[in-house]
Amino acid sequence: MRSIRAKAVLGLVALAVGALAVSSSIVCAERLPVKIYTTADGLAHNNINRIVKDSRGFLWFCTFEGLSRFDGYGFTTYGIEQGLASQVVNSLLETREGQYWVATSAGLCLFNPNGIPRRYISNGGEESIAANRMFTVYLPGEDARSKEVTSLLQDHTGAVWCGTEGGLYRMVEQNGRVEFWFVELGMPNEHETDKHVTSMIEDKRGAIWVGAESGIYRLLPDGRAERYSDRHGLPHVSVHSLLEDREGRLWAGTRLGGLCRLVSDPDLAHSIVARAYSLKDGLPTAWINELFQASDGSLWAGSVQGLIRFIPTAQGDFQVPCLFATTWP
């Protein structure tokens, strides 16, 4: 499933820097200029898990074979030889303090751009710490699933949250040490993927929203957690992406239920979905992986069929989506 999701994210590269693997046919009246970047140009891998733009204007590509930074001219790539815990990089977070945290399938890495590249050696479950190391590796939990870090978020207080395949953790720095506190969200444990966190956002009210394979979870500022599933109107329980747009509206992309606009202040006694977009509304697929809002207000969705553009209307809704179908290698 991750490979399919990665190919969907790869389509977003066409918008970011034109890193499209082969060709695109646009099923719309408009056409986008495309420049192709692949591993031949220095990109670590053609399958991309996430794209992040930092405060300096660099684009970072989290791939299946390392982390690549694009400066507008070329790529600089970091992998296990430089100290990453795993070649599979799922996400990257630049904190407001200027730290870079890298989520990998074998731990969370603190990136020191001026550090000495040293291959990471597992130390029996302890974090790998060395002076001037380029990547310092931390393990949020002891079980194997919690070591796979899938998503990262810094909230308005400065706290860093780590989503893993084993649930949610809050990172705390105390006395010069980094610690991880498990956050109980009430996730089920019936299936192996139930605790798999896929995405996180903080809304304007300070609540943390967590997308997971078992639904949507809302962690309120007072510490209470609520779970929303198909029993609360979600067309599919597996949620792959969350987004709060500029108007404060909340969106969820699901694995087989299309795109949903959520109510801003949900009630467990009512549906969490305010508006759903499905195949009946013109979606080419019900599998939505990534969400992004462009500067013109349009909403973009990465899917297994390519890029989908939702154009805002005067009524505050979105008209029938426009598909940018992609031919993958």
Side-chain angles (χ1 to χ4, degrees):
M1 180 171 64
R2 179 176 297 154
S3 178
I4 295 176
R5 294 189 66 194
K7 289 186 177 182
V9 179
L10 181 57
L12 295 178
V13 185
L15 298 180
V17 294
L20 195 61
V22 170
S23 64
S24 292
S25 59
I26 302 177
V27 192
C28 269
E30 56 189 295
R31 290 188 176 273
L32 296 179
V34 173
K35 179 173 174 56
I36 301 171
Y37 293 90
T38 66
T39 54
D41 302 286
L43 184 65
H45 197 277
N46 289 338
N47 280 1
I48 296 170
N49 288 321
R50 194 167 181 220
I51 306 168
V52 178
K53 182 179 179 181
D54 70 12
S55 60
R56 297 174 175 84
F58 294 117
L59 287 173
W60 296 82
F61 297 88
C62 305
T63 83
F64 273 68
E65 290 191 0
L67 177 68
S68 292
R69 187 190 71 183
F70 185 72
D71 61 6
Y73 300 96
F75 294 92
T76 301
T77 293
Y78 306 90
I80 56 177
E81 293 299 326
Q82 287 72 40
L84 277 177
S86 169
Q87 65 183 4
V88 179
V89 179
N90 297 316
S91 188
L92 178 139
L93 170 70
E94 180 190 14
T95 68
R96 290 187 289 277
E97 296 75 27
Q99 291 181 321
Y100 289 87
W101 292 93
V102 186
T104 80
S105 64
L108 180 65
C109 301
L110 176 61
F111 175 44
N112 175 12
N114 299 316
I116 301 172
R118 297 177 180 175
R119 189 180 180 92
Y120 168 66
I121 300 176
S122 179
N123 202 12
E126 296 295 327
E127 64 265 26
S128 172
I129 302 177
N132 298 322
R133 182 183 291 276
M134 179 171 285
F135 290 97
T136 302
V137 183
Y138 299 90
L139 305 178
E142 296 181 357
D143 63 285
R145 286 190 295 177
S146 65
K147 294 175 184 177
E148 174 135 3
V149 184
T150 54
S151 56
L152 298 169
L153 171 72
Q154 185 179 35
D155 66 20
H156 72 282
T157 69
V160 174
W161 302 80
C162 302
T164 76
E165 288 198 349
L168 178 66
Y169 290 81
R170 186 174 185 268
M171 188 174 71
V172 179
E173 295 190 48
Q174 291 186 340
N175 301 321
R177 288 184 57 85
V178 174
E179 299 179 359
F180 296 87
W181 295 352
F182 180 74
V183 181
E184 181 56 63
L185 295 175
M187 290 181 162
N189 199 25
E190 299 175 5
H191 305 94
E192 184 179 356
T193 59
D194 280 347
K195 296 182 182 295
H196 183 176
V197 174
T198 58
S199 58
M200 295 183 292
I201 60 171
E202 181 185 22
D203 68 18
K204 290 180 172 60
R205 302 181 182 184
I208 304 295
W209 293 73
V210 179
E213 294 290 349
S214 54
I216 295 176
Y217 300 82
R218 184 172 66 142
L219 185 63
L220 299 167
D222 62 8
R224 290 183 295 120
E226 297 177 343
R227 179 197 177 201
Y228 307 96
S229 65
D230 49 357
R231 295 169 50 192
H232 305 94
L234 283 179
H236 196 270
V237 73
S238 180
V239 176
H240 282 178
S241 184
L242 294 171
L243 172 74
E244 183 179 35
D245 66 21
R246 294 184 188 88
E247 290 72 35
R249 295 173 297 188
L250 299 168
W251 299 86
T254 72
R255 177 149 56 105
L256 293 174
L259 177 67
C260 302
R261 178 166 59 84
L262 308 178
V263 298
S264 59
D265 191 13
D267 182 343
L268 288 172
H270 299 88
S271 174
I272 192 178
V273 177
R275 171 76 160 90
Y277 294 84
S278 66
L279 299 176
K280 296 180 181 179
D281 299 289
L283 279 182
T285 176
W287 194 317
I288 303 297
N289 295 310
E290 295 291 333
L291 297 172
F292 173 78
Q293 187 176 30
S295 57
D296 64 358
S298 60
L299 190 68
W300 291 83
S303 79
V304 293
Q305 295 291 332
L307 286 169
I308 304 168
R309 185 186 184 194
F310 297 81
I311 302 174
T313 66
Q315 293 73 32
D317 205 342
F318 287 86
Q319 64 180 245
V320 176
C322 170
L323 172 66
F324 291 69
T326 305
T327 302
W328 304 106

